[in-house]
Amino acid sequence: MLEVTNRCDLACPMCLRDKVDFVTQDMDPHFIRDLLNASAPPNAIWPYGFGEPLLYPYLFEAIRHMKKKGAIVSLSTSGTHLDRSTGAEMISSRLDYLIVAFDGATPQTYEKYRRGANFDQVKDNVERFLAFKTSIQSQIHITLQMILLNGTRNEVSAFKQLWTRNGVDQVRLREDLLKRPKIAALARNCGVHRPCFFLWRGPLFVQAAGTVVPCPYYHGSEPFGDLKAQSVEQAWNSPKMTELRQAHVSGDLSKFPVCRACPRYQPHAALAAASFFITTTEIRRYLPVVERIQQRLGKTFFE
């Protein structure tokens, strides 16, 4: 995960941006190019983090370079800056996956949670992009996503109806992890219920400054590495990362309060083990299928 920018023009109440302290900045485009040229080509790259990636002036230049390296590239956006020219650039960059975070099926609900965005304007942006995608028969995979918040749970049917249309490949409903009772109860435990498999499987989270943390929840904490001074391998296996992995195995997270309070869902052990033997490309291909099975069964295997 490359946090190309941590700038954002919205103030969504469910976001952690206002709960941690960090310096607002963009990632140096030369750093991205040097990183990709110096390291073995990654299987997948997510060029986003704590900010709105469409605010990054070098986004599509970076994506094109990622694609030249053979990476699967996925992007998440609020859609506020998805105008005609941006949509055309997105298609021509050969982006593989796009998630549009659209929390609400009505203007009142949407603008409550996406503070600073206009429902009709963003809806028009997305509809125009969908029409463009279908007109040129682009293969970009588009997911319309809504977080299940207090005000959006009553709009699930309306949200599905709104975005079940040509050009949309997946309509996704996600739990608000910070509010989920089961997760909150687990977070209160002094130990860890299961070692976090993301510490072994990845992805590595690279902040806008080039520093490395285990995951986005460590934003604002002391970095675990610095890719301006280390290789990816050195950062991935740094002493601090090794110590964190050992703490997860032993179950003693007393030195890592961020992990103790982690709201992230851990996938079923069988799925976690299987992920080490298949590529991210294959995971992304079958992800929508498994999500639909989960929705029909009413059970969660991963999130």
Side-chain angles (χ1 to χ4, degrees):
M1 293 186 72
L2 294 180
E3 185 183 58
V4 293
T5 183
N6 57 27
R7 293 184 293 122
C8 188
D9 54 348
L10 302 185
C12 305
M14 63 283 194
C15 181
L16 294 174
R17 286 178 57 83
D18 63 345
K19 298 175 178 62
V20 296
D21 187 23
F22 60 93
V23 177
T24 303
Q25 60 185 309
D26 290 347
M27 185 173 279
D28 184 345
H30 299 293
F31 167 77
I32 297 176
R33 183 172 289 272
D34 291 345
L35 179 64
L36 293 175
N37 290 341
S39 307
N43 183 243
I45 302 177
W46 295 261
Y48 60 89
F50 248 41
E52 168 51 59
L54 296 188
L55 291 175
Y56 184 58
Y58 310 103
L59 176 64
F60 299 111
E61 175 187 329
I63 291 176
R64 288 186 177 93
H65 195 63
M66 295 169 190
K67 292 302 300 178
K68 285 181 181 178
K69 292 294 181 179
I72 298 295
V73 185
S74 306
L75 197 67
S76 180
T77 178
S78 66
T80 55
H81 297 276
L82 189 58
D83 55 25
R84 293 181 187 276
S85 61
T86 300
E89 281 268 58
M90 191 175 290
I91 295 293
S92 67
S93 72
R94 297 191 296 120
L95 179 72
D96 297 285
Y97 293 90
L98 178 68
I99 298 172
V100 180
F102 200 94
D103 297 307
T106 62
Q108 294 78 11
T109 301
Y110 174 84
E111 292 172 13
K112 173 183 177 181
Y113 292 112
R114 289 284 162 178
R115 294 176 184 170
N118 179 275
F119 177 87
D120 292 323
Q121 179 182 338
V122 178
K123 180 171 174 287
D124 288 346
N125 287 352
V126 178
E127 289 176 334
R128 182 177 58 246
F129 184 64
L130 292 174
F132 179 56
K133 171 198 170 178
T134 54
S135 69
I136 63 172
Q137 298 182 329
S138 169
Q139 296 304 303
I140 184 173
H141 185 284
I142 299 179
T143 298
L144 264 292
Q145 177 178 289
M146 182 175 75
I147 298 176
L148 295 174
L149 304 158
N150 290 337
T152 64
R153 289 184 181 276
N154 295 328
E155 297 185 357
V156 169
S157 295
F159 183 79
K160 290 180 178 179
Q161 184 176 4
L162 179 64
W163 295 117
T164 301
R165 58 172 71 194
N166 288 338
V168 176
D169 299 281
Q170 177 79 3
V171 175
R172 178 182 295 161
L173 304 173
R174 292 201 64 179
E175 288 284 352
D176 179 11
L177 297 183
L178 298 181
K179 301 296 183 182
R180 183 189 290 178
K182 180 180 178 181
I183 296 297
L186 289 172
R188 287 193 292 269
N189 292 341
C190 59
V192 58
H193 64 293
R194 187 189 304 168
C196 178
F197 99 113
F198 296 105
L199 294 174
W200 285 266
R201 179 61 169 83
L204 185 67
F205 187 84
V206 186
Q207 298 172 294
T211 49
V212 169
V213 289
C215 74
Y217 291 109
Y218 272 87
H219 219 308
S221 67
E222 191 71 23
F224 281 56
D226 188 344
L227 292 184
K228 289 183 177 178
Q230 298 173 297
S231 67
V232 172
E233 291 77 13
Q234 289 171 335
W236 179 250
N237 295 301
S238 69
K240 200 168 180 180
M241 285 288 287
T242 300
E243 182 185 7
L244 178 59
R245 293 187 184 106
Q246 290 173 343
H248 272 256
V249 172
S250 68
D252 180 9
L253 295 178
S254 56
K255 294 183 180 180
F256 300 97
V258 175
C259 286
R260 286 178 57 181
C262 179
R264 190 165 187 177
Y265 181 88
Q266 287 293 315
H268 189 280
L271 287 175
S275 74
F276 288 91
F277 300 96
I278 59 177
T279 66
T280 302
T281 304
E282 294 168 319
I283 292 174
R284 297 295 300 184
R285 181 179 299 125
Y286 296 110
L287 181 64
V289 178
V290 179
E291 285 185 334
R292 284 193 289 268
I293 293 174
Q294 287 187 155
Q295 290 179 9
R296 291 177 181 176
L297 296 178
K299 295 182 178 181
T300 301
F301 304 106
F302 75 95
E303 188 163 48

